[in-house]
Amino acid sequence: MESSLRVGNLGRKAMAVLGGAFLAVFCQGSWAEGRTNATDGDNPMLVKNEWTEVRKSDYETALLRLPENIREGFSGDQKRIIQLLSRILRDKTMAAQARAEKLDQNPKTKALLAAEIDRFYAGLHMNKVEQDAAEAFTKREVEYTARAKEIYITDRKKYETPEQVSAAHILFDLKNHSQEEGLKLAQETRKKILAGADFGKVAKQISEDRGSANRMGDLGWFSYEVMVPEFSKVAFSLKNAGDVSEPVLTGFGWHLILLKGKKEAGLMPLEKAQEKIMEEQKQKFVEEYINRELAKIDDDSKAVLNEAAIDALYVAPPSSEALKQLMPEMTKKSEAKSGQ
């Protein structure tokens, strides 16, 4: 791998399209064959250039900075691995170049770095506080489970579910057709479906709502207020699963609606409502726990204020009188600039 991997293939273009020689080397060359030459125990070199190198530990550290739901899919996607390695190499290269130029010795840079380190440690501590809060909630889970049942009983209206329908549609967009043309297409399409054509297949082929067309027109379950009134009025008026509406005009265009199912209004089951209530209680508990920890810092009676130094940070804006005196000079400067 080391001999076949070249820095030039890790440029901006490779990161943007992942289609150049670098990707080919990884997907078709020594990586695909499972060969590695640059090894160092459990921390092999993955890629290097004249400035730096990226090791397995760098890659694993970069993964930790990604959200967990994104991190999980990396190992099965070579393109994403290459993209991440490209980003790491770029960052480490520019960091090495900054050090070579002694940019890290600038006093302002040192102050910024110190502030970033403080921010990092603050984040670590906040993560620990959140974990402590979650553990504290778990220890009181029995208490909050009982409270969840009380909330469910006393606030039942909150857990009522409205009537819902499951539907699919075919759209003829008014951006692409006149009203008359769209109506004619909708009527012709409805005749084909009533004659036996499969609604989902037709939706996939011709519906101009491409998002739902890819799902064979399926819109899933929804309550009345979710859709525009003209659409919902017709969808909820259909009686039986399999019924296809007459063409329906909305601001989006002409629709054909297929009713797939109905759910009557009712009360959310205790088990499902309890999950929701417990999550709400946990979120509130954790927020209050964190706020109490932060308040210990904000309200620390031992904190010392250097009031004179703090007051010196404030610069009062110029008075209206001072601005009037400055106006002639500012006008002259403006005229001089425009005359250049």
Side-chain angles (χ1 to χ4, degrees), residues 93-156:
T93 298
M94 289 194 292
Q97 290 169 345
R99 293 189 191 97
E101 295 164 0
K102 299 190 182 302
L103 298 180
D104 57 329
Q105 300 304 310
N106 184 297
K108 289 184 178 178
T109 301
K110 288 183 177 181
L112 285 170
L113 180 59
E116 287 301 316
I117 292 172
D118 281 347
R119 191 190 305 274
F120 174 76
Y121 279 115
L124 284 181
H125 184 69
M126 180 57 73
N127 287 340
K128 182 180 181 302
V129 171
E130 289 178 359
Q131 290 171 6
D132 291 345
E135 289 172 7
F137 181 84
T138 300
K139 289 178 182 178
R140 299 175 59 182
E141 195 164 359
V142 173
E143 171 191 338
Y144 279 98
T145 299
R147 187 178 297 175
K149 291 179 180 177
E150 291 176 8
I151 293 171
Y152 177 77
I153 293 169
T154 58
D155 197 8
R156 292 174 77 87

Side-chain angles (χ1 to χ4, degrees), residues 16 34 46 62 74 84 89-90 104 120 166 176 193 195 208 235 241 254 258 262 285 305 307:
L46 302 178
F74 256 78
L84 184 56
L89 184 66
R90 177 198 63 192
D104 57 329
F120 174 76
S166 173
N176 305 324
I193 292 167
E208 291 168 355
W254 288 98
L258 168 69
K262 278 191 173 185
F285 181 93
L305 297 180
E307 294 185 13

Side-chain angles (χ1 to χ4, degrees), residues 30-308:
S30 59
W31 194 15
E33 296 168 9
R35 295 198 302 267
T36 56
N37 298 320
T39 59
D40 183 13
D42 294 329
N43 192 26
M45 187 277 294
L46 302 178
V47 54
K48 70 178 182 179
N49 61 17
E50 61 181 304
W51 289 97
T52 188
E53 64 181 24
V54 178
R55 291 193 168 270
K56 184 182 177 184
S57 58
D58 297 312
Y59 172 76
E60 291 172 342
T61 300
L63 279 182
L64 290 175
R65 298 173 66 183
L66 299 174
E68 190 172 350
N69 62 322
I70 296 176
R71 194 187 317 156
E72 290 173 354
F74 256 78
S75 61
D77 190 332
Q78 289 180 324
K79 288 185 178 182
R80 293 171 77 186
I81 293 172
I82 294 165
Q83 187 178 38
L84 184 56
L85 289 175
S86 300
R87 195 181 311 140
I88 299 168
L89 184 66
R90 177 198 63 192
D91 290 345
K92 286 176 69 78
T93 298
M94 289 194 292
Q97 290 169 345
R99 293 189 191 97
E101 295 164 0
K102 299 190 182 302
L103 298 180
D104 57 329
Q105 300 304 310
N106 184 297
K108 289 184 178 178
T109 301
K110 288 183 177 181
L112 285 170
L113 180 59
E116 287 301 316
I117 292 172
D118 281 347
R119 191 190 305 274
F120 174 76
Y121 279 115
L124 284 181
H125 184 69
M126 180 57 73
N127 287 340
K128 182 180 181 302
V129 171
E130 289 178 359
Q131 290 171 6
D132 291 345
E135 289 172 7
F137 181 84
T138 300
K139 289 178 182 178
R140 299 175 59 182
E141 195 164 359
V142 173
E143 171 191 338
Y144 279 98
T145 299
R147 187 178 297 175
K149 291 179 180 177
E150 291 176 8
I151 293 171
Y152 177 77
I153 293 169
T154 58
D155 197 8
R156 292 174 77 87
K157 191 171 183 180
K158 183 178 177 182
Y159 304 102
E160 290 177 355
T161 56
E163 181 185 8
Q164 292 183 313
V165 297
S166 173
H169 83 139
I170 297 171
L171 172 68
F172 298 96
D173 199 323
L174 292 180
K175 292 177 183 175
N176 305 324
H177 312 283
S178 66
Q179 273 202 34
E180 294 76 12
E181 185 181 61
L183 175 58
K184 184 178 178 182
L185 287 169
Q187 290 170 334
E188 291 172 353
T189 302
R190 185 173 187 271
K191 286 179 183 178
K192 290 178 184 178
I193 292 167
L194 294 180
D198 183 88
F199 189 99
K201 290 180 180 178
V202 174
K204 190 169 186 178
Q205 290 169 358
I206 68 171
S207 178
E208 291 168 355
D209 174 10
R210 298 315 303 168
S212 66
N214 292 331
R215 302 187 301 273
M216 304 184 83
D218 186 45
L219 297 170
W221 289 95
F222 56 90
S223 53
Y224 195 99
E225 68 277 2
V226 169
M227 302 295 183
V228 293
E230 304 94 327
F231 189 97
S232 285
K233 182 178 180 180
V234 175
F236 279 80
S237 70
L238 295 172
K239 301 297 183 184
N240 303 306
D243 287 352
V244 179
S245 73
E246 294 284 348
V248 182
L249 180 63
T250 72
F252 299 99
W254 288 98
H255 309 256
L256 294 176
I257 304 171
L258 168 69
L259 179 66
K260 301 177 75 174
K262 278 191 173 185
K263 289 180 182 176
E264 298 298 326
L267 187 66
M268 187 184 296
L270 172 61
E271 295 74 16
K272 190 173 181 181
Q274 186 168 293
E275 288 179 15
K276 183 180 178 182
I277 298 168
M278 287 294 285
E279 187 57 38
E280 290 171 351
Q281 288 190 115
K282 182 177 181 179
Q283 184 178 348
K284 184 179 179 182
F285 181 93
V286 170
E287 287 177 357
E288 290 175 349
Y289 189 104
I290 291 171
N291 288 337
R292 285 196 298 272
E293 291 300 306
L294 295 176
K296 291 177 184 177
I297 301 171
D298 296 339
D299 302 333
D300 185 2
S301 61
K302 296 179 181 178
V304 178
L305 297 180
N306 184 342
E307 294 185 13

